[in-house]
């Protein structure tokens, strides 16, 4: 009797969980579908009818105007460069820092860990950081976007914890075979740490791809602007480039075209992340869960 009651309870819980998951999926996908559909629609039809699946209301004009704009393409290329370079650098720095900290016999290990953890709670603030970037000669250069945030203490802690879960016998066997620390790191630690490295690479890429504040503060040259800063002018400041709209366009038409261009730019800017996620999904469980189990 108790077993039957427990089974019924489990079924109710599963049903409730499925309903909640379905609601979460619906809440997530409805805005995405709306934006994707709106990006292909004629702005007049979108304003009068809303989302329509009539082929006569659909157009590729928004994408043509966006892709013909030099600032969008330049910003897209800049964002790809910033995100890739930043992600590679932050993972490399985190790996090189985390591996020594995973050694229990490292001299001053506790003090180094304490120093790193303190930086997670206390920072110098925007003004000192800006002055430091300026004094280092990185102002209005690509390095102002890449270098200041390359050291991420949370990433170091995750990798350190992940490395500590690896069997000590592997390193001991390598030492017996005559391998030094650098060889152990390259030939054993790096291959085994690929799951956590790929996960942190994706996190860093997404964070840098969506970032615009640092570029707004440190960059003055429009040629160095990332895509998100260009989109900010279009989406928030409502300033689409004149090349996308045209010179002989009425004010009402400009507003409608601006809406269509906004949806198209959102879709284009989201494509790299949507493409990357399926390839990195298989590393998430092994990377994050194992990296967070052991403190």
């Amino acid at each position: 009797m108790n077993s039957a009651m427990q089974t019924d309870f489990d079924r109710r819980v599963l049903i409730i969980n499925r309903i909640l998951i379905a609601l979460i999926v619906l809440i997530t996908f409805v805005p995405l579908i709306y934006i994707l559909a709106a990006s292909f629609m004629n702005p007049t039809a979108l304003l009068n009818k809303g989302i329509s699946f009539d082929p006569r209301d659909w157009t590729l004009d928004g994408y043509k105007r966006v892709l013909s704009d030099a600032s969008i393409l330049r910003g897209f290329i800049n964002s790809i460069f910033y995100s890739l370079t930043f992600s590679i650098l932050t993972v490399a720095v985190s790996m090189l820092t985390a591996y020594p900290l995973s050694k229990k016999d490292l001299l001053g290990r506790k003090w180094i860990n304490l120093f790193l953890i303190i930086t997670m709670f206390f920072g110098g603030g925007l003004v000192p950081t800006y002055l430091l970037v300026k004094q280092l000669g990185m102002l209005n250069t690509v390095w102002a976007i890449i270098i200041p945030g390359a050291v991420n203490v949370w990433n170091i802690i995750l990798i350190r914890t992940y490395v500590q879960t690896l069997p000590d016998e592997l390193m001991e066997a390598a030492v017996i075979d005559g391998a030094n620390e650098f060889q152990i790191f390259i030939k054993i630690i790096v291959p085994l740490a690929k799951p956590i490295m790929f996960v942190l690479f994706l996190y860093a890429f997404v964070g840098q791809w969506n970032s615009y504040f640092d570029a707004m503060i440190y960059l003055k040259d429009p040629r160095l602007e990332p895509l998100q800063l260009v989109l900010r002018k279009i989406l928030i400041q409502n300033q689409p480039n004149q090349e996308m709209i045209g010179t002989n366009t009425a004010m009402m038409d400009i507003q409608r075209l601006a809406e269509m261009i906004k949806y198209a730019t959102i879709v284009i800017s989201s494509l790299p992340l949507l493409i990357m996620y399926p390839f990195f999904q298989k590393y998430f469980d092994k990377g994050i869960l194992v990296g967070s189990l052991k403190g």
Side-chain angles (χ1 to χ4, degrees), residues 2-4 41 44 52 61 72 74 80 93 98-99 101 109 127 138 142 149 164 176 214 219 221 230 251:
N2 292 335
S3 177
M41 284 197 62
T44 303
S52 170
D61 190 42
I72 292 287
R74 185 172 58 245
I80 290 289
V93 171
Y99 175 61
L101 292 176
R109 175 173 176 265
V127 174
M138 295 190 298
V142 298
Q164 288 176 340
I176 293 174
D214 288 347
L219 300 181
D221 189 349
V230 178
M251 182 59 65

Side-chain angles (χ1 to χ4, degrees), residues 23-43:
L23 290 174
I24 293 173
V25 171
L26 187 65
I27 293 172
T28 303
F29 275 93
V30 166
L32 294 178
I33 295 173
Y34 179 85
I35 291 173
L36 181 62
S39 68
F40 287 100
M41 284 197 62
N42 184 291

Side-chain angles (χ1 to χ4, degrees), residues 71-81 209 226-227 268-269 272:
S71 64
I72 292 287
L73 295 178
R74 185 172 58 245
F76 191 90
I77 294 172
N78 289 340
S79 288
I80 290 289
F81 172 75
W209 182 267
L227 179 62
I268 292 175
S269 66

Side-chain angles (χ1 to χ4, degrees), residues 78-97:
N78 289 340
S79 288
I80 290 289
F81 172 75
Y82 293 148
S83 300
L84 281 176
T85 307
F86 175 81
S87 302
I88 294 172
L89 181 61
T90 190
V91 171
V93 171
S94 299
M95 283 291 297
L96 292 171
T97 307

Side-chain angles (χ1 to χ4, degrees), residues 106-171:
L106 177 67
L107 184 64
R109 175 173 176 265
K110 292 184 178 180
W111 292 105
I112 297 174
N113 285 327
L114 179 62
F115 174 78
L116 292 175
I117 292 174
I118 289 175
T119 63
M120 297 179 65
F121 299 98
F122 302 97
L126 178 60
V127 174
T129 305
Y130 179 87
L131 294 176
L132 178 61
V133 171
K134 183 178 180 180
Q135 291 175 0
L136 292 175
M138 295 190 298
L139 203 62
N140 201 32
T141 66
V142 298
W143 307 114
I145 307 300
I146 297 171
I147 292 180
V151 179
N152 189 304
V153 178
W154 178 245
N155 291 350
I156 294 173
I157 293 174
L158 285 178
I159 296 177
R160 183 203 65 188
T161 306
Y162 186 94
V163 173
Q164 288 176 340
T165 63
L166 300 177
D168 294 334
E169 290 78 6
L170 292 174
M171 276 68 81

Side-chain angles (χ1 to χ4, degrees), residues 210 212-213 216 228-240 258-259 262 265-266:
N210 292 326
Y212 70 90
F213 185 76
M216 185 173 63
Q228 301 303 327
L229 192 56
V230 178
L231 295 182
R232 181 178 181 273
K233 297 178 180 178
I234 298 174
L235 299 176
I236 298 179
Q237 298 178 348
N238 199 23
Q239 296 177 357
E259 288 297 316
K262 287 179 182 180
T265 52
I266 291 173

